[in-house]
Amino acid sequence: MYVYEKPDNLVELFEKSAADFPQKPLFGIKDKKTKTYNRLSYRSISERVDNLRSGLAGIGVGKNDSVGIISNNRPEWAIAAFATYGLGARFIPMYEAELPKTWKYIIKDSGLKVLFVSDLSIYHQVRHYILSIPTLEYVFLIEGTEGNSLRALEIQGSMKSSPSLHPGPDDTAMLIYTSGTTGEPKGVLLSHGNITSNIHGGRKAYPEIGSDEVSLSILPWAHTFGQTVELYSMILTGSCICFMESIKTVLEDIALVKPTVLIAVPKVFNMIYMGIMEKIQSGGVFRARMARAAFDIAARKFRAGENNGPGIIESVLYRAADLFIFFQIRKRFGGRLKGSMTGSAIMNRNIAEFFFSIGIPVYDCYGMTETSPGITMNRSYDFKLGTAGKVIDNVTVKIDISKGDPENGDGEIVVYGPNVMKGYHNKPEETRLVMTVDGGLRTGDRGKFDSEGFLHITGRIKEQFKLENGKYVFPSSIEEDIRLAPFIENIMIYGEGKSYTIGLVVPDLKQLQSILEKNNIESSPEDMLESPVVMQFIHDSIRKQLEDKYGSYEIPRKLLVVRDGFSVENGTLTQTLKLKRDIVARKYHEEIQALYN
């Protein structure tokens, strides 16, 4: 039986840090007018948690009740979460950018009693749910101070204090609904021990993280990666979390906050990388050549390592490049960044190497909602690019080779440990399908360990498909590499049972027009996608990008342009921006079949 490390519940975790670091800043909120960040202390947030907990108790919220929130990251998100945990109740977060029918499903399935919503637009969409969902009794507005607002409930609670409960590690803390690439959402039941054991395991992987760290909150806390790795882990160390204004202002916000750590996904770094390259290219031929030479020197220095570094001349050149080029890039990140942790997909090796070599290390990690989420991590003192890192403390991973490829030596990744979920809410059959008889969780991912203990992710079992010739294709890694092209916004590789693969492409028209002009290809924004010359250029660019890494059968032979794109709003992407492949395939069925005729 696992013995949980203290604190073994999220209530004690927060209360301990609030007591240890009362005057330190916990949250930072951007003032859009002055372009500065206002800081809120641990003590001030703790007082609001106490008041809201008492307010919730006053309206009848108790142990095992469900409290939900529809909001982006903000102080009130965390205040509502810790107030809920302090009553032994369950917290159910939802995304603001979600379909109303999904909100309704989650509210009904979780048996929600109280719901907090960020603004009036959402409030008007959900308030009538009280009439049709028997368990739902209250809907509170986060913005505002009167009537049925969160602030009014806090004021009510301040008049009659209700002490906090300290849940046991096996008590359910939250339901995280996975948006899922197929079917209806599944509520993942995570206990206090699931989350805290994962926090402690991750903390040991990064012993250099202290109590004066600052992060810029980019990832939504409605997902476990943002919650566990940022919100709870930063609170455990007494650090500060600042909120970005929006993804469009992320570079400005990074420069203002000057973070020491960042929690992000590869897409954020891909975007920053392409922005850097675009700016260098626009600076003229000479500047571009100098930059490329500097990056090449940095890459060679990084590959050589500290023990077998480059010669004296290259070292001098690197120092010059660092002073005039790399320093300026690091300055755009605030100049204090120790490193970043990224998940959801493995970083492209070339981009990861670029950031490492200029002094901005990005460490790949691997996990899933059902494992709270961490399974493996690259560490600052022990990492290997292109891998998911090594298994974290308290977790065991086995490879089920019966679900893999004997020639490749991989198999399904099966996880054991205190981080493994309690199950899916109201879905015993779904739970049975993913849990082994000895308590392991079948991840649905394929992978293998190398001789040094680093995990290599080789594909997703549900996403893989077999071509007519019997060869398997794992589309996600191919798609990730294609998306690195600046004129490709998104792509889906298709080919189940077919003689070859095709690509459903969402182009970035602005970037495409710019690149066509640089390559002296005449086209207009109105008809560029009708031009055979333009389509051939896109196809040739994709092929060139893939040919050194993938077999000819994996490279798409034909392309279909998806003009309306893939998005959460049109149902083709999950909230974590994963493709809903079945839905895309059904939506474009006729066009896809035409490419095979």
Side-chain angles (χ1 to χ4, degrees):
M1 183 178 178
Y2 179 77
V3 178
Y4 288 94
E5 188 173 342
K6 293 285 187 177
D8 60 8
N9 66 82
L10 295 169
V11 179
E12 285 188 79
L13 181 146
F14 175 74
E15 290 179 348
K16 183 178 186 305
S17 289
D20 291 345
F21 313 105
Q23 303 302 329
K24 291 190 67 176
L26 171 51
F27 295 128
I29 303 173
K30 185 179 180 181
D31 185 319
K32 298 176 186 178
K33 292 182 180 179
T34 63
K35 303 293 185 182
T36 58
Y37 271 81
N38 301 317
R39 310 297 169 111
L40 304 174
S41 70
Y42 274 79
R43 174 174 290 166
S44 66
I45 297 299
S46 177
E47 289 172 353
R48 292 189 65 184
V49 169
D50 289 344
N51 290 338
L52 185 59
R53 181 184 64 248
S54 300
L56 287 170
I59 60 173
V61 175
K63 189 173 177 61
N64 293 327
D65 282 334
S66 295
V67 175
I69 191 169
I70 301 174
S71 174
N72 293 332
N73 300 1
R74 58 193 299 166
E76 290 81 5
W77 196 106
I79 290 165
F82 288 114
T84 300
Y85 301 145
L87 293 171
R90 303 173 174 189
F91 195 61
I92 294 89
M94 289 167 269
Y95 298 91
E96 276 192 32
E98 185 60 272
L99 299 174
K101 66 177 183 181
T102 303
W103 290 335
K104 187 172 185 179
Y105 174 85
I106 293 173
I107 292 167
K108 185 175 181 180
D109 185 69
S110 63
L112 215 64
K113 186 172 187 175
V114 176
L115 175 63
F116 295 105
V117 300
S118 62
D119 56 39
L120 277 172
S121 65
I122 297 175
Y123 179 79
H124 290 315
Q125 292 181 74
V126 303
R127 61 179 179 179
H128 66 278
Y129 291 167
I130 288 178
L131 302 175
S132 58
I133 300 176
T135 61
L136 186 62
E137 298 180 11
Y138 300 94
V139 179
F140 292 101
L141 187 63
I142 293 174
E143 295 179 356
T145 59
E146 298 179 356
N148 56 339
S149 68
L150 179 146
R151 274 291 194 177
L153 189 59
E154 287 182 55
I155 293 170
Q156 183 179 324
S158 68
M159 299 175 184
K160 186 179 180 181
S161 178
S162 179
S164 64
L165 301 175
H166 286 176
D170 293 326
D171 288 339
T172 300
M174 67 190 74
L175 272 74
I176 302 291
Y177 279 81
T178 59
S179 44
T181 53
T182 59
E184 61 189 19
K186 296 192 291 285
V188 179
L189 289 159
L190 296 178
S191 71
H192 285 268
N194 286 154
I195 300 293
T196 55
S197 70
N198 213 231
I199 295 168
H200 292 307
R203 180 80 180 88
K204 290 172 183 175
Y206 291 90
E208 70 273 24
I209 299 299
S211 62
D212 294 313
E213 310 302 342
V214 179
S215 74
L216 180 70
S217 187
I218 298 173
L219 296 183
W221 293 341
H223 192 270
T224 47
F225 187 37
Q227 270 194 64
T228 300
V229 181
E230 181 177 61
L231 176 59
Y232 304 134
S233 295
M234 293 288 280
I235 286 176
L236 176 69
T237 61
S239 298
C240 178
I241 303 166
C242 296
F243 300 99
M244 71 173 181
E245 180 184 340
S246 73
I247 194 64
K248 294 179 181 179
T249 65
V250 66
L251 289 178
E252 175 186 276
D253 297 342
I254 286 174
L256 291 173
V257 169
K258 296 179 173 56
T260 60
V261 294
L262 274 181
I263 313 300
V265 291
K267 186 174 182 178
V268 172
F269 288 96
N270 294 350
M271 179 183 71
I272 294 171
Y273 171 81
M274 287 188 281
I276 292 170
M277 293 297 111
E278 185 177 354
K279 187 171 183 179
I280 288 171
Q281 291 295 335
S282 65
V285 176
F286 178 74
R287 183 179 177 183
R289 285 179 178 173
M290 289 292 291
R292 281 197 294 270
F295 295 147
D296 186 52
I297 291 168
R300 289 201 301 272
K301 183 176 184 297
F302 172 71
R303 293 184 199 124
E306 295 297 326
N307 296 327
N308 298 295
I312 295 174
I313 295 176
E314 280 209 342
S315 294
V316 172
L317 291 173
Y318 176 84
R319 283 196 289 272
D322 187 62
L323 180 63
F324 294 107
I325 298 177
F326 308 153
F327 171 77
Q328 295 301 321
I329 296 174
R330 291 196 297 271
K331 191 175 179 181
R332 292 184 69 182
F333 283 83
R336 300 194 303 166
L337 194 60
K338 296 179 180 178
S340 177
M341 190 180 297
T342 181
S344 88
I346 302 299
M347 280 275 289
N348 174 273
R349 187 184 176 95
N350 292 333
I351 293 180
E353 188 174 275
F354 167 81
F355 281 111
F356 263 95
S357 64
I358 66 172
I360 302 174
V362 182
Y363 303 106
D364 278 309
C365 305
Y366 164 66
M368 57 193 303
T369 302
E370 289 85 343
T371 56
S372 309
I375 299 171
T376 62
M377 289 181 172
N378 278 287
R379 291 115 158 119
S380 58
Y381 58 88
D382 193 15
F383 64 87
K384 182 183 288 187
L385 300 191
T387 77
K390 293 183 177 180
V391 179
I392 67 173
D393 191 56
N394 304 324
V395 175
T396 300
V397 173
K398 296 179 181 178
I399 305 297
D400 181 358
I401 58 173
S402 69
K403 301 282 186 178
D405 180 1
E407 293 184 9
N408 191 36
D410 70 353
E412 184 173 17
I413 299 167
V414 184
V415 182
Y416 299 80
N419 61 326
V420 173
M421 68 171 184
K422 299 178 70 175
Y424 294 121
H425 182 60
N426 289 337
K427 294 186 183 297
E429 183 59 25
E430 294 273 7
T431 303
R432 188 189 65 78
L433 289 174
V434 299
M435 299 300 296
T436 65
V437 293
D438 58 347
L441 176 88
R442 294 192 172 278
T443 64
D445 291 319
R446 284 172 60 163
K448 61 182 179 181
F449 287 103
D450 63 22
S451 59
E452 297 175 277
F454 289 94
L455 180 65
H456 297 251
I457 308 296
T458 56
R460 178 102 183 126
I461 292 174
K462 288 183 179 179
E463 291 182 353
Q464 72 181 25
F465 59 81
K466 186 189 289 188
L467 293 172
E468 191 177 65
N469 61 10
K471 291 185 178 292
Y472 281 101
V473 175
F474 297 93
S476 56
S477 59
I478 303 172
E479 293 158 353
E480 195 71 26
D481 284 336
I482 293 174
R483 290 188 196 105
L484 294 176
F487 57 86
I488 301 293
E489 182 180 307
N490 215 330
I491 186 166
M492 187 181 97
I493 301 297
Y494 177 88
E496 174 66 46
K498 305 295 184 180
S499 55
Y500 54 85
T501 61
I502 64 169
L504 284 73
V505 179
V506 180
D508 183 321
L509 298 180
K510 184 179 178 181
Q511 290 284 353
L512 179 58
Q513 181 68 37
S514 175
I515 289 171
L516 291 174
E517 290 173 359
K518 289 177 182 176
N519 285 272
N520 299 314
I521 298 174
E522 292 186 8
S523 67
S524 65
E526 296 77 23
D527 62 7
M528 73 170 77
L529 298 180
E530 304 296 335
S531 167
V533 176
V534 173
M535 290 306 298
Q536 189 61 50
F537 172 79
I538 296 174
H539 199 178
D540 290 346
S541 299
I542 289 174
R543 185 184 298 111
K544 185 177 180 180
Q545 193 157 332
L546 300 179
E547 60 188 4
D548 293 334
K549 189 174 179 180
Y550 298 96
S552 59
Y553 66 92
E554 296 173 289
I555 299 173
R557 189 179 298 183
K558 295 182 180 180
L559 299 177
L560 171 67
V561 174
V562 180
R563 294 178 181 274
D564 55 350
F566 302 141
S567 68
V568 174
E569 290 73 22
N570 66 21
T572 54
L573 292 182
T574 70
Q575 284 291 344
T576 52
L577 305 183
K578 292 183 175 67
L579 285 162
K580 294 186 176 181
R581 298 177 186 276
D582 290 349
I583 291 175
V584 173
R586 287 198 299 271
K587 185 174 182 178
Y588 297 100
H589 175 74
E590 293 184 7
E591 294 95 327
I592 289 171
Q593 295 311 309
L595 294 183
Y596 288 104
N597 293 334

